[in-house]
């Protein structure tokens, strides 16, 4: 409880009025509706304390116990405070807290002048999210600027931070803008990096460092570093300086942007440039012999991406890549290489209407050592299936106009070719319901495809007369196919057919399914899809080949299938815990060497429990009695986000791979990740990797190991790396390039 006698209150009030003291006591202590009068031209000050007294001769107000002074939005709080009423000098000691414009300072003693805004704060501690700022000594030299001695900057709480930035002297302006000289980075008490100067805006987590030391058999010992600076909320830069003992120095600069406006329209993108003076660009002598014409010591990549939504119906997707050689991404950006062996170059602009979608696509090879189908440009206009007026007919259409160019790597000695292709497909449907349960939809359609170039093949037989060393003459026949350009032509492809299906249900309301399902319903949907395409006027061998459109030909078949669903209720919501689609194609007309039936195809999803998703698909060759393809993915998911995943990929005579990935305790102090991939037939274990992570109070530590077993032409690749990042700065946890 605050204690102040009526005598003290009246004495202080009378003295302040008589002497023009700029002190204002709280209204509740004065017992009136207005604060005490202030001297002319002086800013009023609110003072509260458990005990207040005024020393008349010294013109000094003394507050003891829970003292706080308010001046506008500023707040000063301490155990003991004195205010000199004429000079406005303030002295505070004991648990001092000074809050000004969102910045919080803490210390044990300060001297401060309310007029000049200058003062000596001594040792202090401040917090500017997410940074703790400490100094052995500090002085306020203006309204917005402080001088600091013995600076310690960290995101860690406590007196012995795991990571800190220390400087001999520094200045802090506006509570957030820090400039420091003689800067040393510390891990615990151990210095590991030095900078002559450091400028940083503490607000908004503007800058961060990344360090990834390690060793790999490909690059030797390495230190990958990055310095990121966030210039605005939506724009940042990242500068890379990488050292590799076998390859040398690599330098990179990234520009990254993103944003969302008030209409929830977003844009994002980046520009990345990287250069390396590679002292050892080849992994092996076999690679040197194979790639020496394409790879040299100067290696680089340029990458530009930009995605943007202009309206809720219009969007842009773009990516451009230019590299020095075909091995650049593999050697320096391994994670990207695993995702895409050949980098993409495309710009796609799309507009979505109520019943149609229009698009513009540009796709081109930028490096002449890649193979590609260039599309410069491709215009598309697709109409979704929609009813024609009040009739029972439905119509859909797909249309493309493209200039296509098939280009081959320069060293392949294959001749490039190109053509203009105009492709227009139209389909008419008439859905009906027969016998009250059977869905029957006849359809008819036409697809016209114009090619600016078509081919004619003429088989020519030449008689060759050969004379051997004994003078014996023999005559042989040489058969050649001569291909000639026949100019433009239109391929006409017609289609008729029907689709039919029905659904059957069975429900068991009282069943408990797998412990957490309420009730069971089985939905069975058998279906047929008939397709007949008579032989077109232009066959595949008469057309330039770019993609699947050019392979369309005569067809007459019947797709026979069954969809099955097992449904239950979980948390009062219906879910499919089993979905299976199984079908085969019966060829009414077969080509030479074809069987009557195709493979049996299947696509299934199992959700036997919410924590165990399983998906699998494949094709079974009934004539051979074996699978042609089989793929499955299965996971076990825990409440703490731990997971165990299994993936199996099989293609007859091509691959037979098993991959396992485990992620344990990702949100705990210690976490673990492991991955392994096997080729079950030929090479055995292909790759295995492990990553252990520990989180302290403010730092994340990661130690990783990866072993990739190479083919006979290359050597195995070993990689060990260490990651360090500040938990308060998520940007600093991104893994750097390989």
């Amino acid at each position: 409880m605050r204690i102040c006698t009526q005598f003290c209150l009246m004495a202080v009030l009378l003295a302040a009025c008589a002497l023009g003291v700029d002190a204002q006591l709280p209204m509740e202590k004065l017992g009136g509706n207005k604060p005490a009068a202030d001297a002319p031209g002086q800013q009023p000050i609110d003072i509260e304390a458990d005990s207040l007294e005024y020393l008349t001769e010294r013109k000094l107000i003394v507050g003891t116990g829970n003292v706080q002074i308010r001046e506008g939005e500023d707040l000063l709080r301490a155990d003991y405070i004195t205010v000199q009423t004429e000079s406005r000098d303030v002295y505070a000691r004991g648990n001092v807290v000074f809050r000004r414009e969102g910045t919080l300072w803490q210390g044990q003693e300060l001297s401060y002048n309310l007029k000049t805004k200058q003062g000596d704060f001594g040792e202090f501690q401040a917090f500017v999210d997410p940074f703790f700022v400490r100094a052995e000594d500090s002085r306020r030299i203006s309204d917005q600027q402080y001088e600091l001695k013995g600076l310690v900057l960290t995101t860690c709480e406590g007196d012995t931070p795991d990571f800190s930035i220390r400087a001999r002297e520094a200045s802090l302006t506006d509570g957030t803008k820090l400039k420091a000289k003689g800067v040393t980075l510390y891990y615990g008490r151990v210095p590991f990096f030095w900078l002559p100067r450091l400028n940083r805006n503490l607000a908004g987590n503007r800058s961060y460092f990344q360090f990834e030391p390690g060793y790999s058999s490909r690059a030797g010992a390495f230190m990958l570093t990055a310095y990121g600076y966030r210039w605005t909320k939506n724009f940042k830069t990242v500068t890379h300086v990488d050292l590799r003992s076998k390859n040398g120095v690599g330098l990179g600069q990234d520009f990254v942007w993103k944003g969302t406006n008030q209409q929830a329209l977003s844009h994002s993108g980046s520009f990345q440039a990287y250069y390396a003076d590679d002292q050892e660009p080849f992994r092996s002598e076999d690679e040197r012999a194979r790639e020496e014409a394409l790879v040299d010591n100067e290696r680089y990549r340029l990458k530009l991406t930009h995605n943007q939504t202009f309206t809720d119906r219009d969007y842009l997707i773009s990516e451009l890549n230019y590299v020095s050689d075909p091995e650049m991404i593999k050697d320096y950006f391994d994670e990207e290489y695993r995702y895409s062996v050949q980098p993409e170059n495309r710009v796609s602009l799309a507009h979505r209407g109520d019943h149609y979608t229009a698009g513009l696509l540009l796709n081109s090879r930028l490096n002449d050592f890649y193979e590609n189908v260039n599309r410069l440009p491709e215009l598309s206009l697709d109409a979704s299936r929609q009813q024609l007026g009040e009739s029972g007919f439905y119509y859909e259409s797909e249309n493309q106009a493209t200039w296509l160019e098939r280009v081959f790597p320069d060293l392949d000695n294959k001749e490039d070719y190109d053509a203009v292709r105009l492709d227009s497909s139209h389909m008419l449907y008439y859905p009906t319901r027969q016998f009250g349960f059977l869905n029957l939809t006849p359809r008819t359609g036409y697809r016209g495809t114009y090619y600016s170039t078509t081919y004619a093949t003429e088989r020519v037989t030449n008689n060759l007369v050969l004379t051997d060393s004994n003078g014996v003459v023999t005559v042989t026949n040489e058969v050649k196919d001569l291909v000639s350009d026949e100019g433009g032509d239109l391929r006409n492809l017609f289609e008729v057919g029907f689709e039919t299906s029905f659904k059957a249900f069975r429900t068991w309301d009282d069943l408990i399914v797998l412990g957490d399902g309420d009730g069971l319903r089985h939905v069975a949907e058998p279906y047929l899809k008939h397709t007949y395409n008579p032989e077109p006027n232009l066959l595949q061998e008469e057309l330039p080949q770019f993609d699947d459109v050019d392979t369309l030909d005569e067809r007459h078949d019947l797709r026979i299938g069954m969809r099955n669903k097992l449904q239950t209720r979980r948390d009062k919501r219906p879910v499919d815990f089993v979905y299976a689609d199984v079908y085969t194609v019966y060829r009414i007309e077969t080509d030479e060497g074809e069987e009557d039936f195709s493979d049996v195809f299947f696509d299934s999803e199992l959700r036997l429990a919410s924590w165990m998703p399983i998906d699998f698909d494949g094709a079974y060759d009934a004539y051979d009695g074996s699978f042609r393809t089989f793929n499955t993915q299965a996971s076990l998911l825990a409440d703490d986000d731990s997971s165990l995943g299994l993936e199996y990929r099989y293609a007859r005579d091509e691959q037979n791979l098993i991959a396992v990935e485990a992620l344990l305790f990702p949100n705990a102090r210690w976490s673990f990740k492991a991955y392994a991939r096997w080729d079950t037939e030929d090479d055995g274990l292909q790759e295995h990797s492990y990553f252990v992570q520990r989180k302290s109070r403010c730092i994340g530590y990661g130690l990783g190991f990866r072993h990739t077993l190479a083919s006979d032409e290359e050597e195995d690749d070993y990689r060990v790396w260490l990651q360090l990042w500040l938990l308060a700065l998520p940007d600093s946890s991104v893994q750097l390039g390989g």
Side-chain angles (χ1 to χ4, degrees):
M1 177 181 293
R2 295 183 179 276
I3 53 172
C4 187
T5 63
Q6 286 187 341
F7 173 79
C8 292
L9 288 172
M10 291 300 294
V12 172
L13 180 58
L14 290 173
C17 292
L19 300 172
V21 175
D22 182 21
Q24 179 181 333
L25 298 179
M27 288 185 289
E28 64 272 17
K29 290 189 176 182
L30 297 175
N33 297 323
K34 295 182 179 181
D38 298 303
Q42 297 284 351
Q43 176 79 12
I45 304 172
D46 287 341
I47 305 177
E48 295 182 11
D50 291 344
S51 174
L52 277 176
E53 60 178 316
Y54 181 70
L55 306 180
T56 306
E57 294 182 358
R58 299 172 55 187
K59 300 180 180 178
L60 193 69
I61 298 177
V62 179
T64 305
N66 297 316
V67 190
Q68 70 176 28
I69 297 178
R70 292 182 182 274
E71 183 184 34
E73 297 297 324
D74 297 348
L75 171 67
L76 175 61
R77 187 168 62 241
D79 295 338
Y80 174 85
I81 292 179
T82 64
V83 181
Q84 220 291 330
T85 57
E86 287 189 347
S87 64
R88 285 198 155 197
D89 287 324
V90 176
Y91 171 77
R93 71 167 183 261
N95 300 312
V96 180
V97 176
F98 182 61
R99 186 178 68 217
R100 179 176 175 81
E101 298 179 352
T103 301
L104 185 66
W105 300 79
Q106 293 178 296
Q108 291 301 314
E109 187 176 16
L110 73 80
S111 299
Y112 183 65
N113 187 275
L114 298 174
K115 289 181 179 180
T116 64
K117 310 299 183 184
Q118 297 183 5
D120 183 359
F121 281 66
E123 185 179 356
F124 78 97
Q125 175 177 300
F127 180 70
V128 182
D129 190 20
F131 293 100
F132 295 92
V133 184
R134 302 168 190 160
E136 297 175 358
D137 190 20
S138 62
R139 180 174 180 80
R140 188 164 190 170
I141 59 176
S142 70
D143 186 30
Q144 300 295 334
Q145 189 172 8
Y146 296 84
E147 283 186 350
L148 309 177
K149 302 291 185 181
L151 170 72
V152 178
L153 179 69
T154 180
T155 58
C156 310
E157 292 188 76
D159 295 331
T160 57
D162 294 338
F163 170 82
S164 61
I165 298 174
R166 301 170 186 257
R168 299 190 310 272
E169 57 185 70
S171 66
L172 187 65
T173 305
D174 295 333
T176 59
K177 298 175 183 178
L178 180 70
K179 294 183 179 181
K181 299 179 182 179
V183 178
T184 305
L185 278 63
Y186 278 78
Y187 173 68
R189 300 180 182 275
V190 179
F192 67 92
F193 201 76
W194 181 84
L195 291 170
R197 292 180 180 272
L198 175 67
N199 294 336
R200 183 183 183 98
N201 191 321
L202 302 183
N205 309 335
R206 285 182 173 246
S207 64
Y208 58 90
F209 287 95
Q210 293 175 257
F211 300 93
E212 187 176 303
Y215 176 85
S216 76
S217 55
R218 165 71 178 95
F222 61 81
M223 170 64 83
L224 309 181
T225 70
Y227 174 72
Y229 188 83
R230 189 171 296 279
W231 297 86
T232 68
K233 178 182 179 182
N234 298 323
F235 180 74
K236 72 174 182 179
T237 58
V238 182
T239 303
H240 302 267
V241 179
D242 300 334
L243 305 176
R244 300 173 176 89
S245 63
K246 290 186 178 181
N247 304 101
V249 179
L251 303 174
Q253 182 63 57
D254 303 343
F255 301 90
V256 183
W257 55 87
K258 66 176 182 178
T260 304
N261 63 17
Q262 295 179 348
Q263 290 74 39
L265 303 177
S266 63
H267 68 273
S268 63
S270 65
F271 175 74
Q272 299 169 274
Y274 194 87
Y275 171 83
D277 184 9
D278 197 338
Q279 304 303 308
E280 184 51 64
F282 302 104
R283 294 172 179 258
S284 65
E285 290 303 317
D286 290 332
E287 184 179 284
R288 179 186 296 273
R290 190 173 60 250
E291 303 287 349
E292 193 166 14
L294 297 173
V295 181
D296 59 25
N297 297 101
E298 293 191 357
R299 311 185 70 183
Y300 55 86
R301 68 89 62 96
L302 300 173
K303 181 177 182 180
L304 172 66
T305 64
H306 184 76
N307 301 328
Q308 184 163 350
T309 55
F310 300 102
T311 69
D312 58 353
R313 294 174 177 264
D314 302 277
Y315 63 89
L316 170 73
I317 299 175
S318 62
E319 178 179 347
L320 300 174
N321 290 274
Y322 188 79
V323 294
S324 59
D325 58 78
E327 300 297 320
M328 175 64 187
I329 304 299
K330 180 180 180 181
D331 290 346
Y332 286 89
F333 302 93
D334 182 65
E335 294 299 324
E336 288 188 35
Y337 181 80
R338 291 165 179 264
Y339 176 75
S340 177
V341 174
Q342 179 172 323
E344 193 73 29
N345 293 289
R346 63 192 177 102
V347 177
S348 177
L349 182 64
H351 170 75
R352 178 177 54 83
D354 291 337
H355 301 291
Y356 70 92
T357 301
L360 167 66
L361 172 65
L362 302 173
N363 184 302
S364 178
R365 177 189 70 174
L366 296 184
N367 292 108
D368 56 14
F369 42 73
Y370 289 127
E371 181 179 344
N372 196 53
V373 175
N374 295 338
R375 301 168 187 268
L376 295 171
E378 180 175 274
L379 301 172
S380 63
L381 179 63
D382 300 335
S384 57
R385 190 178 301 189
Q386 54 197 281
Q387 189 172 5
L388 296 177
E390 298 297 325
S391 71
F393 290 94
Y394 287 77
Y395 168 79
E396 70 177 4
S397 175
E398 297 180 358
N399 306 274
Q400 290 181 344
T402 317
W403 182 77
L404 296 159
E405 183 183 20
R406 182 71 178 270
V407 291
F408 298 95
D410 283 356
L411 298 181
D412 279 7
N413 296 320
K414 294 182 180 180
E415 187 176 352
D416 300 344
Y417 56 87
D418 62 82
V420 173
R421 189 180 71 190
L422 307 177
D423 182 52
S424 184
S425 174
H426 308 268
M427 194 68 68
L428 196 63
Y429 302 86
Y430 187 71
T432 65
R433 176 67 66 89
Q434 305 294 329
F435 313 113
F437 74 96
L438 182 66
N439 299 312
L440 178 62
T441 304
R443 73 180 188 279
T444 183
Y446 167 76
R447 186 167 198 156
T449 309
Y450 172 80
Y451 293 85
S452 63
T453 298
T454 58
Y455 303 128
T457 303
E458 180 182 1
R459 178 156 294 184
V460 177
T461 302
N462 297 321
N463 295 325
L464 298 179
V465 180
L466 302 176
T467 303
D468 62 15
S469 59
N470 297 321
V472 178
V473 177
T474 58
V475 178
T476 61
N477 294 326
E478 181 186 49
V479 180
K480 288 186 176 181
D481 290 333
L482 300 180
V483 179
S484 60
D485 188 345
E486 291 295 297
D489 205 347
L490 177 68
R491 182 189 66 186
N492 299 299
L493 186 66
F494 297 91
E495 180 174 325
V496 294
F498 65 87
E499 301 171 28
T500 183
S501 66
F502 68 89
K503 292 183 179 181
F505 303 86
R506 178 71 185 274
T507 302
W508 297 268
D509 289 328
D510 298 330
L511 286 180
I512 301 299
V513 179
L514 300 175
D516 62 353
D518 178 16
L520 176 66
R521 180 169 69 170
H522 178 210
V523 182
E525 184 183 9
Y527 63 90
L528 297 174
K529 182 177 181 180
H530 171 258
T531 301
Y532 174 59
N533 298 123
E535 183 177 88
N537 59 314
L538 294 175
L539 302 181
Q540 182 175 341
E541 58 268 20
E542 299 176 89
L543 302 172
Q545 296 298 302
F546 301 104
D547 54 34
D548 292 342
V549 173
D550 312 312
T551 64
L552 297 175
D553 205 342
E554 179 182 9
R555 176 182 174 186
H556 193 192
D557 55 48
L558 186 67
R559 177 171 170 172
I560 307 168
M562 169 79 81
R563 299 185 190 94
N564 280 277
K565 289 183 180 181
L566 291 177
Q567 300 175 317
T568 189
R569 289 185 297 270
R570 289 175 179 154
D571 297 326
K572 299 182 180 181
R573 298 174 57 187
V575 295
D576 298 337
F577 72 92
V578 174
Y579 170 82
D581 182 11
V582 182
Y583 65 91
T584 187
V585 176
Y586 172 65
R587 302 183 180 99
I588 300 173
E589 296 182 13
T590 61
D591 292 334
E592 184 178 352
E594 279 190 328
E595 303 288 355
D596 291 337
F597 284 90
S598 73
D599 294 340
V600 178
F601 301 93
F602 53 92
D603 185 1
S604 301
E605 298 176 2
L606 304 182
R607 300 296 183 267
L608 304 179
S610 58
W611 46 267
M612 188 174 61
I614 302 174
D615 300 329
F616 58 89
D617 62 78
Y620 180 76
D621 185 345
Y623 294 98
D624 187 69
S626 64
F627 286 99
R628 189 180 304 275
T629 63
F630 185 84
N631 306 304
T632 186
Q633 291 179 309
S635 300
L636 296 176
L637 308 176
D639 292 338
D640 66 350
D641 294 332
S642 295
S643 63
L644 176 64
L646 170 68
E647 183 173 7
Y648 177 61
R649 298 286 180 185
Y650 172 78
R652 190 167 64 190
D653 301 328
E654 293 183 18
Q655 67 175 12
N656 195 353
L657 302 177
I658 297 177
V660 178
E661 184 175 58
L663 177 62
L664 303 179
F665 323 118
N667 302 318
R669 180 176 293 274
W670 284 92
S671 61
F672 178 76
K673 183 177 182 179
Y675 172 82
R677 185 178 70 249
W678 292 268
D679 185 328
T680 61
E681 293 184 355
D682 298 329
D683 300 326
L685 185 64
Q686 287 189 337
E687 179 178 306
H688 57 110
S689 63
Y690 313 90
F691 189 75
V692 180
Q693 176 179 294
R694 179 183 180 273
K695 297 177 182 177
S696 67
R697 292 176 300 173
C698 61
I699 292 184
Y701 309 83
L703 177 63
F705 170 79
R706 185 175 71 209
H707 177 200
T708 303
L709 289 85
S711 62
D712 295 337
E713 298 179 351
E714 298 180 354
E715 298 179 354
D716 289 0
D717 183 34
Y718 297 89
R719 176 183 171 89
V720 182
W721 72 95
L722 175 67
Q723 283 183 253
L724 299 172
W725 66 95
L726 301 177
L727 300 181
L729 303 177
D731 282 342
S732 64
S733 66
V734 180
Q735 183 172 343
L736 304 180

